[in-house]
Amino acid sequence: MSNLLLALTAVILAPFAGALISGIDRKFTAWFQGRVGPPIYQPFLDIIKLLGKECMAVNSRQRICVMVYLISAMTTVFLFFLGSDLLLIFFILTIGAVAFVLGAMSAPSPFSQIGAQRELIQVLTYEPLILLSFAGFFLVTGSFSVSYIQTWDQPLLFNLPLIYIALGFALTIKLRKSPFDISASHHGHQEIVKGSLTDYSGPQLAFVEIAHWYEIVFILAVFSLFWSTSLAGMAILLFLTYFAEIVIDNITARSTWRWMVAYVWPAGLGMIIINYVFILSI
């Protein structure tokens, strides 16, 4: 019962936490670029403005895909805080990713089409890394259950240091941060404008952004498994992890999808396999 209450509370509070993190992200980014930047609460204002606009969509399929994407993101957060199985959560995460791609593909715009194709390549790049990282948790703890992993008596970061780095690759792609913001960007100055987000507007774009906030919270929750023995250690690890994401986002140029596939797979899979050997040897 306590896990169910925690899961419901997480679903309610996650978008607020995600928006706050996005606001802090923008503030840090502005600081890196020598600007004042928007206030931390700017993401809330953006969403309120979008929700107040007329509800327009390219077609009914796009609306369905957006709702599936949002519900999928909410469900991953709910299941994680319920202490559910990581493989089940991965399956739900995949449904949301596919729905996002299909939503972009439903629009006839060439910008959306190219963005959708690149998003699909990104999904095919990061999903094996996430799945194999979850398998790393199983090799150490003997379980895929989040609630069981959280009770492990020592920080898993000591057993899974390379998997932590590989998961960082995967989740940078998942968050569409530079150098892996090749399918969509909040800045419409790239060659595909805003890519897979080009044909979203008003409430539909707001729902996509809220789903993204849920994904931020879910991603940080996954990283919390590396240090679940103390709240202070977990908070420090999550801060350093997300701050590293912001730094990398600001100091790297956007890569090509060929570079992403050519380097992320060998580097990520290589680190995961080396970590597997390390786990099995101890």
Side-chain angles (χ1 to χ4, degrees):
M1 185 63 186
S2 59
N3 276 359
L4 179 60
L5 186 62
L6 176 64
L8 292 173
T9 304
V11 171
I12 295 170
L13 297 182
F16 296 97
L20 195 60
I21 293 169
S22 293
I24 295 172
D25 187 336
R26 291 188 191 181
K27 206 67 180 175
F28 270 122
T29 299
W31 180 67
F32 279 120
Q33 298 171 356
R35 299 183 289 109
V36 176
I40 290 176
Y41 55 84
Q42 184 64 44
F44 294 103
L45 302 180
D46 294 341
I47 289 299
I48 292 172
K49 183 177 180 181
L50 287 172
L51 290 174
K53 290 181 175 292
E54 183 181 358
C55 187
M56 297 181 67
V58 175
N59 51 54
S60 58
R61 298 188 301 279
Q62 189 187 55
R63 292 183 180 179
I64 294 172
C65 289
V66 167
M67 293 313 298
V68 172
Y69 178 47
L70 176 59
I71 293 171
S72 168
M74 294 171 67
T75 306
T76 54
V77 171
F78 177 79
L79 290 175
F80 185 93
F81 285 92
L82 191 63
S84 188
D85 191 289
L86 282 174
L87 295 181
L88 174 62
I89 295 172
F90 176 80
F91 176 70
I92 302 296
L93 190 70
T94 302
I95 292 176
V98 172
F100 183 74
V101 171
L102 292 177
M105 279 187 171
S106 68
S109 159
F111 301 119
S112 289
Q113 293 286 323
I114 295 174
Q117 292 170 17
R118 291 184 179 183
E119 181 69 24
L120 186 59
I121 294 171
Q122 290 191 197
V123 172
L124 295 175
T125 304
Y126 70 70
E127 292 228 330
L129 299 180
I130 293 178
L131 185 59
L132 293 174
S133 298
F134 287 172
F137 288 120
F138 177 82
L139 286 178
V140 176
T141 65
S143 175
F144 282 108
S145 168
V146 172
S147 57
Y148 185 83
I149 295 171
Q150 288 173 330
T151 60
W152 200 246
D153 57 358
Q154 60 180 341
L156 289 172
L157 183 62
F158 297 142
N159 298 97
L160 305 170
L162 295 180
I163 287 181
Y164 169 80
I165 298 173
L167 196 59
F169 274 121
L171 299 181
T172 303
I173 300 172
K174 176 66 179 168
L175 288 177
R176 306 181 192 96
K177 283 188 170 293
S178 187
F180 306 124
D181 54 339
I182 61 174
S183 69
S185 172
H186 290 289
H187 311 290
H189 56 258
Q190 53 181 340
E191 84 281 7
I192 56 170
V193 193
K194 298 187 76 172
S196 48
L197 299 175
T198 303
D199 286 286
Y200 288 107
S201 65
Q204 301 299 316
L205 183 58
F207 294 148
V208 171
E209 188 62 25
I210 292 171
H212 183 64
W213 292 346
Y214 274 106
E215 287 181 339
I216 292 174
V217 172
F218 168 70
I219 286 168
L220 291 178
V222 171
F223 274 106
S224 73
L225 294 177
F226 286 96
W227 205 296
S228 57
T229 53
S230 75
L231 286 177
M234 183 191 299
I236 293 171
L237 179 68
L238 294 183
F239 173 78
L240 292 177
T241 300
Y242 201 80
F243 186 72
E245 293 280 349
I246 297 173
V247 172
I248 292 171
D249 186 35
N250 280 277
I251 65 174
T252 57
R254 187 162 56 89
S255 70
T256 64
W257 68 267
R258 290 185 178 85
W259 186 93
M260 180 182 69
V261 174
Y263 288 94
V264 171
W265 266 356
L269 295 178
M271 284 190 285
I272 290 173
I273 291 172
I274 293 172
N275 210 143
Y276 280 0
V277 174
F278 170 71
I279 294 169
L280 296 174
S281 64
I282 58 177

